Amino acid sequence: MKTKILILTLLSGFIFSLSAQQYTPQIGYSVEPGYKTNFKKNRAGDNWFISAGAGMGVLFGDQNNEADFKDRLNANPHFAFGKWFNPYFGMRAYFTGGNLHGFEGNNAQFMQHNRFFAGHLDFMYDVTNHWGVYNSKRFFRFIPWIGLGYAQKFKNKSPQEFLGKAESPSLNLGILTAFRLSDRVDFNLELQGMLLNEEFNRVSGGKLCDGIAQLSAGLTFKLGKTDFEVIEPMDYGLINDLNNRINALRAENDQLSRRPVSCPDCPDVPPANVVNHYGENFVRFRLDSHKIDENQEVNIYNAAQFVKETGTRLTVVGYADRNTGTAAYNMQLSEKRAKAVAKQLTDKYGIPASQITIDWKGSDVQPFEVNNWNRVVIMTGDKR
């Protein structure tokens, strides 16, 4: 009967742990693609960024195609700032300017030494984090974007005449690639195009529009909180299955409680050299955590009491589930879990370290068929 009660307590505690995971944020990564994952909303001051860099730009306008390509190149710095609202959607304000060489006359014989300024508001879509699993430490991200803006060409004196300023709304399209250098710095390569009014370069040739293409490189600096927290939903199927098991155990315990307490003809049985029916006691952990939850504390207490009463040695082995993280990361996580339990046994309950053997298996060994159950430390009694 005591065995049934212990198992019942274990399953009940595990259900409590599963329920808590509905609101438990897991920082920095998800186990499913971003579009299937719920993310905690960050504070207004989190996930901001500023970018700066420079590149080469080319004006596409009437008569420019007749000039040598190297003469059409312009050095264009840029500056931007923005915010990611979740791992795959963000906005930014982008500013660029500098030289803008144009050409006119037969065979592009006259060069316009223009200067310009442009700004646009962009809507950014991180394809990598949307269709792949979210990982704040991912090295490479692919981010297309689209934006609307304004561009102005300043007054200048061309070889043939004085050209006034020109201005135009702009439609902007581009692809940003981000390479992670650290938690707060990315290196960026970006290709973008800007569609403008047909007479932006002050030369009319009956074409649909003028345009500017740019290829640039730069650095992005992240401000405030740099990652997002994943909210792990409840596994309702698993919880329902556990509830059914608990109800069956309750019914069996009820039947056992009606049996006679004494048995004169039964021989005395020495205390079993186990903590529960399986010779083991369990401490469950939340996803990517080695912190011991309060509802798991009773299992450590029971193991400590068992050691004190029987002189048992304990083998404390940590595990991690296979569906989350790399094998190397899970090995470190299982080590932290095992050491956390052993520390609790010695520091809080006074079990000598000499009576505890610590080991960890990572995700290479999975003691349970249910993946989530393998976020566990198993304490096994070994009486000597």
Side-chain angles (χ1 to χ4, degrees):
M1 180 174 176
K2 290 183 179 180
T3 295
K4 300 299 182 180
I5 294 174
L6 282 169
I7 297 174
L8 180 61
T9 303
L10 173 63
L11 290 174
S12 300
F14 183 50
I15 283 190
F16 180 86
S17 177
L18 279 176
S19 301
Q21 288 184 14
Q22 183 181 15
Y23 304 102
T24 302
Q26 310 303 332
I27 301 175
Y29 66 88
S30 64
V31 296
E32 291 190 301
Y35 72 91
K36 291 184 177 180
T37 304
N38 295 317
F39 295 95
K40 180 181 176 182
K41 185 177 180 181
N42 283 346
R43 297 174 302 177
D46 292 333
N47 306 106
W48 285 86
F49 62 87
I50 57 174
S51 301
M56 304 301 294
V58 175
L59 173 66
F60 290 88
D62 305 292
Q63 303 176 2
N64 283 27
N65 292 339
E66 299 176 11
D68 289 339
F69 185 76
K70 62 181 178 61
D71 294 330
R72 298 170 61 190
L73 292 175
N74 311 278
N76 300 140
H78 70 261
F79 172 80
F81 67 89
K83 176 179 173 65
W84 288 100
F85 299 100
N86 59 43
Y88 48 85
F89 175 70
M91 294 181 66
R92 72 173 181 181
Y94 185 99
F95 306 96
T96 186
N99 296 324
L100 190 66
H101 296 155
F103 295 86
E104 54 185 305
N106 294 330
N107 298 319
Q109 58 184 326
F110 301 112
M111 177 185 287
Q112 300 174 351
H113 295 279
N114 302 312
R115 290 187 177 276
F116 85 107
F117 170 81
H120 42 90
L121 183 65
D122 304 325
F123 301 88
M124 309 172 70
Y125 171 52
D126 191 325
V127 173
T128 314
N129 280 335
H130 185 256
W131 294 102
V133 296
Y134 166 61
N135 185 345
S136 63
K137 298 187 182 298
R138 186 188 301 278
F139 174 69
F140 173 79
R141 293 184 295 140
F142 181 80
I143 307 169
W145 57 265
I146 185 171
L148 297 174
Y150 166 85
Q152 178 174 304
K153 183 181 74 67
F154 300 103
K155 296 178 180 180
N156 75 301
K157 182 70 169 63
S158 79
Q160 291 184 318
E161 58 181 327
F162 182 83
L163 297 177
K165 75 174 184 178
E167 55 186 353
S168 171
S170 65
L171 174 63
N172 305 82
L173 301 162
I175 294 175
L176 172 68
T177 55
F179 300 86
R180 179 180 177 274
L181 300 181
S182 71
D183 287 344
R184 293 205 172 269
V185 182
D186 288 344
F187 172 74
N188 303 316
L189 289 176
E190 185 166 9
L191 176 65
Q192 63 174 288
M194 185 184 308
L195 300 179
L196 305 162
N197 287 340
E198 194 275 334
E199 294 187 1
F200 184 75
N201 67 340
R202 287 298 182 181
V203 177
S204 178
K207 293 186 177 181
L208 180 63
C209 63
D210 290 342
I212 299 173
Q214 292 179 326
L215 178 63
S216 61
L219 295 174
T220 294
F221 302 90
K222 305 170 189 177
L223 308 176
K225 185 179 176 64
T226 62
D227 50 22
F228 289 88
E229 298 180 355
V230 176
I231 301 176
E232 184 183 0
M234 279 194 261
D235 187 339
Y236 290 101
L238 177 60
I239 291 176
N240 288 335
D241 178 62
L242 290 172
N243 278 325
N244 290 336
R245 296 187 189 188
I246 288 175
N247 290 333
L249 286 170
R250 284 173 175 165
E252 191 171 346
N253 281 332
D254 183 60
Q255 293 179 0
L256 290 172
S257 66
R258 299 176 184 179
R259 294 182 180 180
V261 176
S262 62
C263 180
D265 298 329
C266 296
D268 293 334
V269 179
N273 180 31
V274 296
V275 180
N276 64 23
H277 178 69
Y278 301 101
E280 299 167 333
N281 205 355
F282 308 90
V283 179
R284 304 285 181 182
F285 289 85
R286 301 185 185 186
L287 181 68
D288 193 33
S289 174
H290 62 277
K291 180 181 178 182
I292 300 171
D293 286 344
E294 290 184 5
N295 68 300
Q296 298 296 303
E297 192 72 38
V298 64
N299 299 326
I300 302 177
Y301 170 81
N302 288 338
Q305 291 300 111
F306 183 81
V307 170
K308 292 176 181 179
E309 293 171 2
T310 64
T312 294
R313 289 182 56 85
L314 279 182
T315 299
V316 178
V317 185
Y319 298 88
D321 70 282
R322 185 169 291 163
N323 292 353
T324 306
T326 64
Y329 181 84
N330 287 337
M331 188 64 71
Q332 295 177 357
L333 180 59
S334 65
E335 177 183 359
K336 292 178 182 178
R337 287 171 173 170
K339 289 182 176 179
V341 171
K343 187 175 187 299
Q344 195 81 328
L345 285 166
T346 56
D347 293 358
K348 187 170 183 178
Y349 298 110
I351 303 301
S354 59
Q355 286 185 254
I356 302 172
T357 301
I358 307 173
D359 196 6
W360 49 90
K361 304 294 185 181
S363 55
D364 296 337
V365 177
Q366 300 287 270
F368 300 106
E369 293 182 1
V370 179
N371 179 68
N372 293 352
W373 290 19
N374 293 304
R375 302 168 192 156
V376 69
V377 165
I378 299 178
M379 297 175 288
T380 305
D382 181 19
K383 189 172 182 180
R384 296 181 180 179

